[in-house]
Each structure stands twice: as C-alpha cells, then as structure tokens.
Amino acid sequence: LPPRELAPLPWDESALQPVISAATVGLHYGKHHRGYVKTLNELIEGTQYGEMPLETIIARTDGRADRCAIFNSAAQVWNHDFYWRSMKPGGGGAPPPALARAIEADFGSVEACVKALAEAATTHFGSGWAWLVEHEGTLRVTATGNAHVPFTAGMKPLLVIDVWEHAYYMDYQNRRADHVDAVLRELIDWEFAESNLA
Ligand SMILES: [Fe+2]
C-alpha cells in the first residue's frame, strides 16, 4: 500500500454552515485530520504496519501500550473519515424506511434514538466520539474515549459525532449540547447510517 492519503471531504468546507462554520471544518480537516494522516505515515513507514489496511493496523495495535502512538493516529484517521461521511448539508429529518423500522424496534422511536445520541455526545467526559452502532443484531448508542473505535469490540459503526473540543469550540465554545443538537437536527446523514447497516 502507498502512504495513507487524506481522504477528500464529501462536500465543500462551507457546506455545513451555519451549524458548523467553514473555519471549523477547515481547521478540523486541514490541520487535525491531516495531522493524524501525516503522523501515521511517519510512524508506520518501513514497519510491519506499512502494508496493512487501516482497520488491520487499528485491530493489531489496540490495547498495546508499546503501539499506542500508531493506534491513536490510525484510529483518528479512521474516525474522521467516518465522521465527515456521517454528516451532509440538508441532513437530519427522518431516517429512510428500513433504518427507521430498525430504530423503532430497538429504541421505541426515532426521537428516542436521537435523544440517546444527544445524551451520549453531551455527557461523554473529555475527548471522544458518540456512535450509533449495531451489535449482535441490535441498534444501540455508545461512546468511545479519545481515539477508540467501536469495531474492535465487535460493534458495527453506523454513524458518529465527534465530541472532541476541536469539533465545536470555535463555533459554540463550551456549549457542546447546542452543537450536538444542531448536528443531529440539521446534518446527520441517516442514509449513510442505513448503508452501513445493510
Ligand atoms: Fe476531530
């Protein structure tokens, strides 16, 4: 495999305004995400990890104290690739029918699922990620700290919200709940979640 490349954003940097400013997307993508890709390439060049798919690097380094720098960079590249695709301009609203049925079966209602996601994203202490996942045939909400991913614990990610401060602080300062609510109401891409469930 060639060095990991920074995956292109699925939309224009200003496309998520006014919920997420172009300045926040520019910094988040152009500095944070790009930085994780650069660090990962530096760390794995010429090592056994240099030829592995990203998911394999993450699985092989997860929980290893002597590999935590590689794990953190690889997982943050994976998480950000997934995060950008979890949002789109004109998102939010009602999930497509198949996903809506699955959500209603496991949460009772779409509203209850959105509330659970908002709560997980808002109450997670410190840096991390709030996820809608599928685990053993059931949809659920979970949160991971720092760079951690759900799939190393057997959970299939459907969508994610970045709750690191760099995701919202410039636009919302300490009001993480306001940011999360706006993302869920106006940006979250239920079609992406459904495609991951299929
Ligand atoms: Fe981030």
Side-chain angles (χ1 to χ4, degrees):
L1 290 171
R4 299 319 122 131
E5 286 176 17
L6 179 65
L9 286 171
W11 20 253
D12 199 73
E13 282 188 8
S14 61
L16 305 186
Q17 298 195 114
V19 176
I20 304 178
S21 68
T24 287
V25 173
L27 193 70
H28 196 170
Y29 175 73
K31 299 293 183 190
H32 292 273
H33 190 176
R34 186 185 300 279
Y36 293 126
V37 173
K38 181 171 180 286
T39 303
L40 176 65
N41 282 320
E42 289 166 359
L43 289 170
I44 66 175
E45 190 189 354
T47 74
Q48 59 178 310
Y49 303 105
E51 302 295 315
M52 290 177 191
L54 194 54
E55 289 84 352
T56 308
I57 298 174
I58 294 166
R60 300 258 177 101
T61 57
D62 185 34
R64 288 188 58 178
D66 59 336
R67 295 286 183 268
C68 73
I70 294 175
F71 172 83
N72 285 338
S73 302
Q76 284 295 77
V77 171
W78 195 95
N79 287 339
H80 284 90
D81 286 346
F82 198 79
Y83 169 63
W84 302 124
R85 291 186 292 147
S86 294
M87 300 181 291
K88 64 178 179 187
L99 179 62
R101 280 194 297 276
I103 288 173
E104 283 158 13
D106 295 331
F107 290 91
S109 66
V110 171
E111 195 182 331
C113 175
V114 168
K115 196 172 169 214
L117 269 167
E119 190 164 302
T122 303
T123 62
H124 176 77
F125 185 77
S127 296
W129 304 84
W131 306 83
L132 179 64
V133 299
E134 184 267 335
H135 186 228
E136 296 175 348
T138 303
L139 301 194
R140 40 183 286 214
V141 164
T142 192
T144 59
N146 299 322
H148 286 276
V149 297
F151 58 81
T152 52
M155 294 182 273
K156 180 196 280 185
L158 304 184
L159 57 79
V160 73
I161 301 172
D162 188 341
V163 297
W164 283 59
E165 286 186 345
H166 65 226
Y168 62 88
Y169 219 84
M170 197 157 40
D171 297 333
Y172 294 83
Q173 293 78 48
N174 61 317
R175 302 187 308 278
R176 189 198 288 189
D178 292 351
H179 166 75
V180 166
D181 285 343
V183 166
L184 284 166
R185 196 170 57 248
E186 297 183 44
L187 298 180
I188 210 74
D189 187 349
W190 294 115
E191 278 79 17
F192 176 65
E194 183 170 87
S195 73
N196 291 317
L197 184 61

